[in-house]
Amino acid sequence: MSEQESWRELRDRRLAEPGAVEAYEATRLAYELGKTVRAMREGRGWSQNDLAREAGMTQSAVARFEAGGTIPTLPVLERLARALDADVEVRLTPRAPAA
């Protein structure tokens, strides 16, 4: 068995555990949000310290957020959005019914 096959088996076993899919999805969302904030910050030519100062946060909190290391709260998202002159949009979209 190759190393990649072993990794897939381990991943499949872990995702079968109760709550694993939800935790994975939360982590994925945190990573995507962090990636977006980093791109917006870099687009302004700001350092993490610059964003932290504008958002009333610490540089280490910005770094953790950008790395997807924390699940953000709405107040944190609002502070970052305000600092980046952006809007936070939270949307629930119905899923297509299973066929």
Side-chain angles (χ1 to χ4, degrees):
M1 179 182 299
S2 73
E3 186 175 322
Q4 190 172 22
E5 289 170 352
S6 296
W7 165 246
R8 285 185 185 139
E9 280 186 18
L10 176 60
R11 181 196 62 200
D12 292 346
R13 278 197 315 268
R14 294 285 189 206
L15 287 175
E17 294 174 4
V21 171
E22 293 84 1
Y24 174 83
E25 187 59 24
T27 301
R28 185 195 64 75
L29 180 59
Y31 172 77
E32 292 297 327
L33 287 167
K35 192 166 82 169
T36 299
V37 166
R38 180 179 178 175
M40 292 179 77
R41 173 182 62 77
E42 289 176 343
R44 289 176 168 266
W46 285 0
S47 67
Q48 288 179 341
N49 278 321
D50 295 330
L51 177 56
R53 184 175 42 258
E54 291 296 320
M57 300 170 67
T58 63
Q59 178 276 327
S60 61
V62 170
R64 279 191 308 274
F65 180 87
E66 287 184 353
T70 61
I71 307 293
T73 63
L74 285 174
V76 167
L77 289 174
E78 289 171 344
R79 285 168 47 189
L80 289 166
R82 200 169 24 258
L84 293 165
D85 194 28
D87 294 317
V88 174
E89 294 181 11
V90 177
R91 185 176 45 204
L92 297 177
T93 307
R95 296 183 184 142

